[in-house]
Amino acid sequence: MVSITPAKRKEGLTAAEVEASTGMTAVPTATESQRRPPLKKQRTSNLTDQDAAPSSFVEELERLHQQTIPVENPKDVWARAPLPKIDPAKDSIVFQQIDIDDYADQIPDFIDNPYHLGEASILRMYGVTMEGNSVVCHVHGFQNYIYVPAPKDYRPELQDSFIRAMNANITTQRKNQNGSAVVDIDLVMKSSIFGYQPHKVPFLRIYLRLAALMPAAKRLFKEGFHVPGLGRVAIDPTFESNIPFPLRFMIDMKIQGASWVELKAGKYRMRGGSGERRTSTAQLEVDIYCDDVIAHQPEGDWSKIAPLRILSFDIECSGRKGVFPDASIDPVIQIANMVTVQGESRPFVRNVFALKQCANIVGTHLMCFDKEEQLLQAWSKFISAVDPDIIIGYNINGFDFPYLLDRADALHLNDFAFLGRIMGNETKAKDTQFSSKAHGTRNSKAINLEGRLQMDVLQIMQRDHKLRSYTLNAVCAHFLGEQKEDVHHSIISDLQNGNDETRRRLAIYCLKDAYLPQRLIDKLMCVINYMEMARVTGVPFNYLLTRGQQIKVVSQLYRKAKEEDLLIPALEIEGTDEQYEGAIVIEPEKGFYEVPIATLDFTSLYPSIMMAHNLCYSTYVKDLKTAQGMGLVKDKDFKITPNNDIFLNASLRKGLLPTILEDLLAARKRAKNDLKKETDPFKRAVLDGRQLALKVSANSVYGFTGATIGKLPLLAISSSVTAYGREMIEKTKQCVQEKFTVANGYEHDAQVVYGDTDSVMVKFGVSDVASAMKLGTEAAKYVTEQFIRPINLDFEKVYFPYLLINKKRYAGLYWTKPEKHDKMDAKGIETVRRDSCRLVSTVIETCLRKILEDRDTKGAEDYAKGVIADLLQNKIDLSQLVISKALGRSEYTAKQAHNELAERMRKRDAGSAPALGDRVSYIIIKGHKDAAAYEKAEDPIFVLDNNIPIDTKYYLENQLSKPLMRIFEPILGTKANSLLCE
DNA sequence: GAGACTTCCTAA
DNA sequence: TCAGTTAGGAAGTCTC
């Protein structure tokens, strides 16, 4: 039996209760802040009774335990379902592929090998069968290739000479090649996607023996080389020569990311036993020829998801006081693990690997070790035994994995770091950097775990959700409405060095930190949503976390281009800083509107513009002269965009991007329809994830064409899109204001009071919501008729009342039905910004509610005055005053509060100081007169521990006053000033 | 002390 | 070798 201990519960306050009793409640607050307890002082030494008290999490463990089927030995549940007997002659193998990589090796004898290659690139697909067996599949015979336009005098007879010349040059550049670089050349008829080409022209498809030779081949063409019989050959750009090899394979074989593949009986060969040598730890290892892999499109029955095993883990290490743990010194003392089958609600493995004895925990398999080396080795074996498909945790890429690897290294454990599915492949942490305009720069680490997906929940949160803080604590409070029970790192060592009970306490914390990432992933349905994104865009699952937005569009573009014999050039990016004009923002008629304001929106504006006007690389013509040269006639064959760019009409050639967008939007419509009919919650989740992925994908096509630091920028597309958009908004405004007039028999003259990019806000003059809705619907229909299909203006909602503060800043009650408003909506103002302190957002939010919902401006004023009084009397809890900002760069020209603080913190303890990309929290403390804000910023914990006085004047004058004035002024006029003078 | 410039974050 | 877009408010610092 699993060791059962009756939960030893000492009654005590929960952490939240303790916090609540110590915090001050000067601010009656909106929902979000109620979930967040006030900042509490962290104890840094001396264990108290409370430290031995078990947490309420034990109740959760007990619940999980009660659902567990008892087993003799907890390790018995680790292994996967046994592999059924397979007869390769009779049984097909069907699995969901989740990861793919490639390597170079000798091609086995039984594989068809027409070029008699020795060593060649081999693809390796990893996956899981519906029965839950893990699979590694070696795919042979697929050669990487690039295209170049055939040189003018190229003739098929020159092929051997051409290959020899390339080989001579490539092997001289790269020595260690075992065999020649170029395997074969095909002469094919294709055309470039980049600019309209009326005819296909000859291209050379050059097959490379090793995938890794692609950059060398590309470079060779760029630099030029001599071909006997042809002369000097220099070609730039080459085509399709910058795509990752596994993706190339998937595109050509029509395999979508995370989709199902089938290996027919008789077509594959099993490894192990008397067969080929096994190289992986997967249950089933097979070889197959590339053309024999059958790809199933992820639709209908093939939308299902295999019973993937998800391991969530967390480690604790024993640090020294005030110093961040250092793997060369500080031991790993506990590792907690939870293993769940995707789609099931309960982890079937819950265990802790602990250093030194530890009291039992209900429903938890405890493994205690005397030596750290034993602990680490046992955990490594546990990974192989459980054989997880997905490994999750919080900051596992940034901390847990690197720490474990460094620690194993420090202890000279030679057999620890083999955590992937390929035998002999050592797991290492490699520094990586990711930087983009949207997400800034961030350093992280890449961990190779061949065949196992990694989902670092921290990274997922940072990518997908804009939050004020990304600590596990803050994220759980936000999404799960519950707190992680925080153990300050300085007491971890004390707990470890205490007794069985204190170590038990620590283990419970550790377990909960392993459980929470799983809860988050489940709640946000990350696995399903990411899989659907991989399926929709066709990229391998792990690209979604390790790469940017562009690869997803590239994958779709390549797939569509291939169908039409179009080739994609590998442009050298020269990082131009040239910008193009974006969307229009209509000058707002600022003010407080106590009449309904109807909002009309263009649905999927940019995608619909690209579809309506056939904007694409393949329909683009550089200039009029070129168009005339091709005998094209304006209007009949092409149109000139408001940006003065030329694109063909769809009647002459339908663009690829419009086709991709139509497919995406049609697929979304299908998914949404299916969703309406579906009742099974699991299938519903899949469909919902799909429609979301389809929408996001459609919207990112425009951004891709405008990405000047990108794979295939064509600003003619992006700037024409925005130009059309600007024209449309202007026209919409004009249309509405001209049609809805007293002169035309309407009650009032309509007025467009604001509009941004794809929307206009209309005051029809009517005083009730129902009439505004009716007119809004009528206007949307009328305007839509003025545009080309599929452009569509939609009536979406009414704001009433509506407070229009400035461009991109407004608030109002949001109505979609005339009976009752749906919610209060705020855009751009302090309530939705992460860089204002919580005091400001809650005060503004509460004032807005009083003004908009209660229509009680006086109440709002009194409330604001009350808060100001509390602030000046120091009655506001510290947590309300924390300001946070992202540390966006390592060098700043101007001094910045958050950066100056980060630097000071680095001097105190480099390990725990904020890193590039992290959000830095700070409080403005009292300083000498005239001190700049950056001199007065301090770490909230430091302020609390050292009882440093707060600069309340700063919070009043620099944080509260202006936002308050901005919302009160449109209502009270200059009277608003009196608010602050008392 | 005004205004240019830097930085962050949001709207769409 | 990788990295989606522009518009725009607001706060703070720098410069003269």
Side-chain angles (χ1 to χ4, degrees):
Chain A
M1 291 289 286
V2 176
S3 39
I4 302 171
T5 325
K8 289 183 209 155
R9 309 207 61 230
K10 274 188 209 165
E11 290 311 314
L13 293 175
T14 66
E17 285 164 339
V18 171
E19 285 159 4
S21 65
T22 54
M24 278 170 275
T25 45
V27 187
T29 52
T31 39
E32 207 198 331
S33 63
Q34 277 171 346
R35 281 197 230 119
R36 188 176 301 273
L39 200 66
K40 72 168 174 184
K41 189 152 178 166
Q42 301 273 7
R43 275 166 298 107
T44 49
S45 61
N46 296 334
L47 300 177
T48 63
D49 273 358
Q50 204 212 324
D51 292 312
S55 69
S56 60
F57 176 55
V58 173
E59 286 169 19
E60 176 77 10
L61 288 170
E62 192 152 12
R63 188 182 65 76
L64 295 171
H65 173 63
Q66 280 162 3
Q67 299 169 1
T68 310
I69 301 158
V71 286
E72 281 297 318
N73 182 349
K75 291 189 181 182
D76 290 348
V77 303
W78 288 3
R80 283 180 174 274
L83 189 67
K85 199 158 172 54
I86 293 173
D87 179 353
K90 290 191 189 134
D91 299 320
S92 294
I93 294 172
V94 181
F95 64 96
Q96 185 188 11
Q97 44 88 20
I98 57 168
D99 195 14
I100 181 165
D101 61 12
D102 67 281
Y103 65 106
D105 203 350
Q106 299 293 319
I107 295 193
D109 302 336
F110 56 88
I111 292 293
D112 192 19
N113 186 358
Y115 296 115
H116 309 291
L117 301 177
E119 193 186 43
S121 282
I122 301 165
L123 288 134
R124 205 159 36 191
M125 286 194 288
Y126 305 84
V128 177
T129 65
M130 207 57 211
E131 292 72 40
N133 298 122
S134 54
V135 182
V136 165
C137 175
H138 303 264
V139 183
H140 304 274
F142 187 84
Q143 263 103 46
N144 206 1
Y145 57 86
I146 69 169
Y147 290 100
V148 295
K152 196 157 62 66
D153 299 320
Y154 184 87
R155 306 179 301 282
E157 308 87 83
L158 288 170
Q159 180 173 320
D160 286 343
S161 171
F162 202 96
I163 292 176
R164 270 197 304 277
M166 279 194 75
N167 282 337
N169 282 283
I170 291 179
T171 40
T172 50
Q173 284 176 15
R174 298 178 61 123
K175 285 264 155 53
N176 59 340
Q177 306 302 341
N178 163 19
S180 48
V182 177
V183 172
D184 197 3
I185 294 180
D186 281 349
L187 189 58
V188 291
M189 296 302 284
K190 302 269 180 182
S191 52
S192 168
I193 192 179
F194 208 84
Y196 171 62
Q197 330 254 307
H199 305 294
K200 289 181 191 170
V201 292
F203 273 83
L204 304 183
R205 177 155 58 197
I206 298 163
Y207 291 95
L208 304 167
R209 186 174 52 83
L210 295 173
L213 290 165
M214 193 157 78
K218 185 175 161 189
R219 202 177 329 119
L220 178 60
F221 279 108
K222 189 179 171 163
E223 288 165 2
F225 62 107
H226 181 80
V227 179
L230 196 61
R232 192 181 148 73
V233 172
I235 300 170
D236 188 32
T238 51
F239 288 72
E240 313 215 339
S241 54
N242 57 357
I243 178 131
F245 182 51
L247 186 55
R248 167 92 268 172
F249 165 75
M250 288 171 69
I251 289 166
D252 287 8
M253 305 312 288
K254 297 193 165 55
I255 299 173
Q256 301 292 111
S259 66
W260 290 81
V261 294
E262 182 164 359
L263 318 177
K264 284 277 188 222
K267 295 289 189 185
Y268 64 91
R269 195 135 138 176
M270 271 170 76
R271 292 207 184 184
S274 56
E276 287 289 299
R277 185 176 52 86
R278 293 202 48 146
T279 60
S280 89
T281 57
Q283 288 176 291
L284 183 58
E285 185 171 348
V286 298
D287 292 272
I288 194 162
Y289 186 69
C290 57
D291 289 347
D292 293 329
V293 176
I294 296 169
H296 290 292
Q297 297 313 301
E299 277 151 30
D301 239 17
W302 297 111
S303 297
K304 62 192 174 184
I305 290 176
L308 303 172
R309 296 188 145 204
I310 306 172
L311 163 72
S312 183
F313 81 101
D314 180 56
I315 72 169
E316 300 295 340
C317 28
S318 165
R320 293 147 292 146
K321 288 242 184 308
V323 194
F324 196 74
D326 175 350
S328 61
I329 304 165
D330 303 308
V332 173
I333 52 181
Q334 290 187 343
I335 309 178
N337 306 279
M338 297 261 183
V339 188
T340 313
V341 171
Q342 161 59 28
E344 289 181 8
S345 58
R346 178 184 58 79
F348 68 94
V349 171
R350 304 175 296 277
N351 67 31
V352 180
F353 292 70
L355 192 59
K356 298 212 269 188
Q357 282 304 309
C358 174
N360 281 328
I361 302 167
V362 64
T364 304
H365 175 206
L366 266 176
M367 286 158 281
C368 303
F369 301 88
D370 294 330
K371 299 187 74 174
E372 188 193 1
E373 287 87 343
Q374 297 168 332
L375 186 162
L376 292 175
Q377 271 158 337
W379 187 76
S380 178
K381 292 208 177 77
F382 164 71
I383 297 294
S384 322
V386 165
D387 188 25
D389 306 300
I390 305 178
I391 301 187
I392 68 171
Y394 211 78
N395 198 19
I396 49 172
N397 276 335
F399 180 73
D400 302 56
F401 268 128
Y403 199 93
L404 286 171
L405 296 171
D406 287 347
R407 189 64 193 149
D409 208 33
L411 297 173
H412 309 294
L413 298 178
N414 297 324
D415 50 357
F416 174 84
F418 298 92
L419 303 172
R421 283 187 160 141
I422 299 302
M423 297 171 188
N425 267 26
E426 194 180 347
T427 304
K428 289 182 181 144
K430 212 167 75 188
D431 287 313
T432 56
Q433 194 185 56
F434 188 94
S435 76
S436 75
K437 270 187 201 159
H439 293 98
T441 305
R442 192 178 287 282
N443 294 314
S444 71
K445 294 205 162 65
I447 319 287
N448 60 299
L449 298 172
E450 294 78 9
R452 306 196 206 283
L453 301 174
Q454 300 161 56
M455 296 177 76
D456 188 330
V457 180
L458 171 63
Q459 285 177 11
I460 290 177
M461 294 301 145
Q462 287 170 334
R463 242 171 204 257
D464 299 350
H465 303 279
K466 292 199 176 294
L467 303 175
R468 299 180 99 99
S469 162
Y470 290 99
T471 61
L472 180 55
N473 212 358
V475 170
C476 288
H478 186 263
F479 288 110
L480 304 174
E482 79 181 72
Q483 297 279 310
K484 145 189 153 84
E485 286 153 56
D486 217 7
V487 180
H488 193 257
H489 49 258
S490 56
I491 74 164
I492 289 177
S493 297
D494 294 336
L495 289 173
Q496 174 65 13
N497 296 331
N499 52 34
D500 287 13
E501 289 296 328
T502 61
R503 282 189 288 275
R504 170 175 184 270
R505 168 105 175 145
L506 185 59
I508 291 170
Y509 287 140
C510 191
L511 260 175
K512 189 162 190 192
D513 284 4
Y515 188 47
L516 288 172
Q518 179 69 50
R519 292 270 317 276
L520 287 166
I521 290 268
D522 287 345
K523 170 104 188 206
L524 299 169
M525 295 192 291
C526 295
V527 175
I528 289 178
N529 289 345
Y530 272 70
M531 285 208 165
E532 285 302 315
M533 182 56 91
R535 288 169 168 182
V536 163
T537 58
V539 300
F541 189 100
N542 73 322
Y543 283 25
L544 300 176
L545 288 162
T546 57
R547 315 261 314 235
Q549 301 296 316
Q550 296 203 34
I551 195 74
K552 297 191 275 186
V553 182
V554 167
S555 163
Q556 295 172 80
L557 197 58
Y558 266 72
R559 285 168 198 265
K560 270 286 183 300
K562 192 175 153 64
E563 290 173 12
E564 302 194 15
D565 285 329
L566 294 171
L567 299 181
I568 293 158
L571 301 181
E572 295 281 318
I573 48 152
E574 67 240 24
T576 50
D577 24 344
E578 85 180 280
Q579 275 215 319
Y580 63 90
E581 195 179 341
I584 194 170
V585 184
I586 294 174
E587 197 57 45
E589 296 289 333
K590 299 175 202 171
F592 182 56
Y593 294 86
E594 297 190 79
V595 291
I597 303 294
T599 306
L600 313 178
D601 290 52
F602 284 104
T603 39
S604 302
L605 178 69
Y606 287 179
S608 67
I609 289 175
M610 294 171 86
M611 289 185 278
H613 302 288
N614 203 36
L615 307 184
C616 183
Y617 302 98
S618 63
T619 58
Y620 172 63
V621 180
K622 202 170 63 196
D623 47 38
L624 265 179
K625 219 173 111 196
T626 315
Q628 284 153 2
M630 287 189 282
L632 300 173
V633 180
K634 186 168 175 284
D635 296 330
K636 178 172 145 300
D637 299 318
F638 63 85
K639 271 190 303 195
I640 298 176
T641 71
N643 194 53
N644 271 324
D645 293 309
I646 302 170
F647 289 92
L648 296 191
N649 293 336
S651 52
L652 190 59
R653 168 171 302 169
K654 179 82 188 256
L656 235 48
L657 295 180
T659 313
I660 291 174
L661 291 169
E662 278 166 20
D663 291 353
L664 288 171
L665 295 177
R668 179 162 188 242
K669 215 173 226 171
R670 276 203 305 279
K672 286 181 98 171
N673 278 337
D674 292 351
L675 185 61
K676 271 188 210 145
K677 285 180 264 165
E678 187 60 65
T679 50
D680 177 65
F682 194 75
K683 289 180 183 162
R684 284 183 62 89
V686 170
L687 287 169
D688 198 46
R690 176 169 307 175
Q691 68 87 12
L692 187 72
L694 289 162
K695 179 182 158 187
V696 171
S697 299
N699 285 335
S700 57
V701 172
Y702 152 77
F704 175 79
T705 65
T708 44
I709 303 185
K711 290 244 184 221
L712 204 62
L714 180 50
L715 296 194
I717 297 178
S718 35
S719 42
S720 290
V721 167
T722 55
Y724 274 121
R726 292 192 298 274
E727 217 178 62
M728 287 163 65
I729 287 295
E730 295 285 12
K731 185 170 164 186
T732 302
K733 178 179 171 181
Q734 198 188 343
C735 267
V736 170
Q737 293 191 160
E738 277 172 9
K739 179 167 166 73
F740 293 84
T741 57
V742 175
N744 282 341
Y746 291 92
E747 258 180 80
H748 307 86
D749 288 337
Q751 187 197 4
V752 170
V753 296
Y754 179 57
D756 185 349
T757 309
D758 62 353
S759 65
V760 288
M761 319 295 216
V762 190
K763 186 177 85 175
F764 283 108
V766 293
S767 56
D768 64 301
V769 173
S771 306
M773 286 180 166
K774 197 166 149 278
L775 288 166
T777 312
E778 187 187 340
K781 184 166 173 285
Y782 171 71
V783 175
T784 299
E785 285 162 7
Q786 318 293 313
F787 293 103
I788 311 170
R789 196 205 60 83
I791 287 166
N792 176 52
L793 186 71
D794 213 13
F795 162 73
E796 222 181 53
K797 64 208 173 239
V798 158
Y799 282 116
F800 171 61
Y802 183 54
L803 178 62
L804 181 52
I805 295 167
N806 213 333
K807 282 185 175 175
K808 299 188 188 286
R809 288 181 179 240
Y810 58 84
L813 297 187
Y814 183 113
W815 303 67
T816 52
K817 50 186 184 306
E819 295 81 30
K820 193 179 180 335
H821 66 268
D822 304 68
K823 59 177 177 185
M824 185 176 89
D825 198 21
K827 290 283 150 76
I829 51 188
E830 286 69 20
T831 52
V832 296
R833 290 187 67 88
R834 297 177 291 172
D835 54 357
S836 61
C837 69
R838 204 166 277 281
L839 173 72
V840 174
S841 23
T842 50
V843 168
I844 298 294
E845 164 120 10
T846 312
C847 285
L848 283 175
R849 283 198 188 282
K850 286 182 190 293
I851 293 168
L852 299 171
E853 284 180 342
D854 308 343
R855 305 300 285 273
D856 179 10
T857 310
K858 180 77 177 44
E861 278 179 75
D862 293 344
Y863 165 78
K865 280 178 193 162
V867 173
I868 290 168
D870 285 341
L871 174 66
L872 294 176
Q873 291 169 55
N874 262 318
K875 281 198 205 159
I876 304 288
D877 189 88
L878 214 52
S879 68
Q880 298 285 314
L881 303 177
V882 176
I883 302 167
S884 75
K885 277 195 168 82
L887 194 56
R889 52 198 74 191
S890 46
E891 302 266 341
Y892 284 86
T893 20
K895 286 207 159 74
Q896 296 280 314
H898 63 300
N899 181 48
E900 295 293 305
L901 173 62
E903 259 171 39
R904 261 181 280 141
M905 287 171 77
R906 265 196 286 282
K907 282 178 195 142
R908 285 177 205 157
D909 178 18
S912 60
L916 195 61
D918 286 354
R919 296 189 65 80
V920 184
S921 294
Y922 61 91
I923 285 176
I924 300 295
I925 55 171
K926 278 218 167 69
H928 64 83
K929 196 170 146 301
D930 300 331
Y934 63 82
E935 297 173 282
K936 298 191 287 185
E938 191 44 89
D939 176 14
I941 303 291
F942 191 84
V943 171
L944 203 62
D945 286 348
N946 298 289
N947 258 322
I948 299 170
I950 311 298
D951 189 347
T952 48
K953 190 161 153 276
Y954 172 89
Y955 279 95
L956 178 57
E957 290 175 359
N958 298 53
Q959 291 274 312
L960 257 184
S961 85
K962 282 178 190 149
L964 276 174
M965 290 302 289
R966 280 195 292 267
I967 63 165
F968 278 110
E969 214 170 76
I971 301 164
L972 299 174
T974 44
K975 275 194 296 174
N977 274 316
S978 65
L979 249 179
L980 304 163
C981 297
E982 292 164 28

